[in-house]
Each structure stands twice: as structure tokens, then as C-alpha cells.
Amino acid sequence: MTQMTVTAKRLTIQIRLEPGCLGPDGKAHIDTFCAAATRIFAAIEPERLHWVLLPRHDKQLPEQEFFIDDRKLSEEQATQLIARMGLVLATLQERSDAMLALLVERYFKTL
């Protein structure tokens, strides 16, 4: 029963993006970009993962954090939970990095 409960919960992966990734005017666009990117990321493992992309205005905050039911997890705990879901954290990170690179590239084409 514990196994079913774990897989029924979705892990939240929170990613903070530097405004500078959108160029010198990034501060003016980062909020809108993050909102749009979050909607696109929702298609990545939607049954198991919930993605939240936020601007990283405070560099002291980590670039990435993990949560389950509002409880913060360490990267090791998230890795173990993701493994129980049949996923690999490194693969998800590679996929999210590639998606972000594509979205930033698309953003620059709209300027």
C-alpha cells in the first residue's frame, strides 16, 4: 500500500531561472517567460511530476528544489522517489535543460 501511495503523489520540481538567460532585457520578460514555460513543462510526465518555473531574483536561492505535499526534499530523496516512479533524475534534468534551451531560443526569435 505504501508503494501505491508514493506513486500516486506527484513530485514538484521547482526551477528558478536567471533573468539574464533572456538577455539584457530579461528582467522585463522573465515573469511571462516562466509562466509560459511552466505550461509547456506540464506535459513532461504529468501523472508523476509537477513543474514550477520561477524567476531567480535572489541568487542565494537554489536553482532547483524538490517538494512532495509542500515538504521539501533533498536531491537524494528526490532521486530515490523518482527512481520508485521508474524515472531517472539525471535524465529528467537533461530533458528539462534541453527544453529550456529550446524555449529561450524561441524567445530570442520573437524579438
Side-chain angles (χ1 to χ4, degrees), residues 15-40:
I15 300 172
R16 289 187 182 89
L17 301 172
E18 302 274 348
C21 75
L22 298 177
D25 296 336
K27 280 188 178 183
H29 303 280
I30 193 70
D31 291 319
T32 303
F33 180 84
C34 286
T38 295
R39 287 191 301 275
I40 292 168

Side-chain angles (χ1 to χ4, degrees), residues 2-110:
T2 304
Q3 186 79 5
M4 286 175 45
T5 304
V6 169
T7 56
K9 294 183 180 184
R10 290 191 319 166
L11 175 70
T12 296
I13 300 177
Q14 182 175 286
I15 300 172
R16 289 187 182 89
L17 301 172
E18 302 274 348
C21 75
L22 298 177
D25 296 336
K27 280 188 178 183
H29 303 280
I30 193 70
D31 291 319
T32 303
F33 180 84
C34 286
T38 295
R39 287 191 301 275
I40 292 168
F41 268 66
I44 301 174
E45 298 295 337
E47 317 79 36
R48 299 182 264 192
L49 303 175
H50 176 247
W51 298 86
V52 177
L53 285 77
L54 302 169
R56 187 177 185 209
H57 297 297
D58 182 349
K59 292 194 181 226
Q60 292 186 7
L61 295 173
E63 287 184 35
Q64 187 169 300
E65 290 185 293
F66 306 95
F67 299 90
I68 190 106
D69 292 336
D70 296 327
R71 194 181 102 218
K72 188 174 173 180
L73 302 178
S74 68
E75 187 168 333
E76 182 179 323
Q77 290 170 318
T79 299
Q80 291 172 358
L81 179 60
I82 288 171
R84 282 190 230 142
M85 293 176 178
L87 303 170
V88 177
L89 180 59
T91 303
L92 287 171
Q93 288 171 324
E94 288 172 12
R95 193 171 169 189
S96 67
D97 288 347
M99 178 69 73
L100 282 171
L102 178 66
L103 293 175
V104 168
E105 185 179 314
R106 283 185 187 170
Y107 167 80
F108 280 121
K109 287 181 180 179
T110 64

